[in-house]
Amino acid sequence: MKKLDTEKLEPLLGKMVTELGAAANAALVITGDRLGLYKALVHTPLTSEELAKKTDTHERYVREWVAAQAASGYVTYDADSEKFSLSAEQAAVFADDDSPVFMAGGFYTLSAVYADEPKLAAAFKSGAGVGWGDYCNCLFSGVDRFFRPGYRAHLTSEWLPALEGVKSKLERGARVADV
């Protein structure tokens, strides 16, 4: 094996550790969304015990989850009160399905990436590809939850009016195909 250049190796290893942490945290985001942990933190700062009680979950797991989320900057921790909360921005990203910047849905698509990895590897060998309908169902729910807020916030107010003549055609009853 060739001698490794540590000046090149160390930044690469640092990037890999960061990427692994982000990948592992994706499962925690899904868990927090699924169990209502983010939503429970929206209006009232809570200790891990209070959060567990409010969400009918086990405190030991909630304590680890909320500490990891605070370390990532996804929730806010107040050391004086030992309580966790969500800022308005964190709530918009993690707890408000109607927010145009809601991101939790996107993490569900990552489940499909891992679940469908064997299909992707087979496609690399066969060249046959993976059809949209052949993906794990979690992809579809993730795509829906990730893109819906943006479409709801921008489609009719910004995107369609930006297309010359499209809005007036639609208002006159034009037919369109969704392909």
Side-chain angles (χ1 to χ4, degrees):
M1 183 160 97
K2 292 182 182 179
K3 182 172 168 65
L4 300 178
D5 181 339
T6 56
E7 287 188 29
K8 292 179 181 177
L9 179 62
E10 288 176 9
L12 177 60
L13 290 175
K15 181 174 177 60
M16 295 309 302
V17 168
T18 299
E19 297 285 333
L20 286 169
N25 205 18
L28 297 178
V29 170
I30 292 168
T31 300
D33 179 65
R34 185 172 285 145
L35 297 177
L37 297 170
Y38 292 113
K39 285 179 174 38
L41 290 169
V42 171
H43 299 294
T44 308
L46 301 170
T47 65
S48 61
E49 293 88 0
E50 294 166 335
L51 180 57
K53 184 175 182 178
K54 187 172 182 177
T55 57
D56 195 29
T57 52
H58 194 278
E59 191 277 333
R60 174 69 172 86
Y61 288 94
V62 169
R63 182 178 350 128
E64 296 295 333
W65 176 86
V66 77
Q69 297 305 283
S72 295
Y74 294 175
V75 305
T76 300
Y77 178 66
D78 178 40
D80 292 334
S81 67
E82 296 184 350
K83 292 190 177 196
F84 299 88
S85 62
L86 293 180
S87 67
E89 297 76 18
Q90 291 164 331
V93 170
F94 292 104
D96 182 359
D97 295 72
D98 294 325
S99 163
V101 295
F102 179 69
M103 298 291 290
F107 287 86
Y108 287 83
T109 64
L110 297 175
S111 295
V113 169
Y114 289 101
D116 292 328
E117 184 280 327
K119 294 175 188 173
L120 182 60
F124 268 73
K125 290 184 171 268
S126 70
V130 180
W132 177 251
D134 296 329
Y135 284 97
C136 174
N137 285 337
C138 53
L139 175 66
F140 311 120
S141 63
V143 166
D144 172 51
R145 289 191 69 218
F146 182 70
F147 287 104
R148 182 188 311 217
Y151 280 107
R152 200 178 290 142
H154 305 289
L155 183 64
T156 59
S157 64
E158 298 170 40
W159 298 341
L160 289 177
L163 300 171
E164 189 175 322
V166 170
K167 186 176 179 204
S168 61
K169 287 179 185 176
L170 290 172
E171 289 170 342
R172 289 192 313 266
R175 291 182 170 211
V176 296
D178 182 6
V179 292

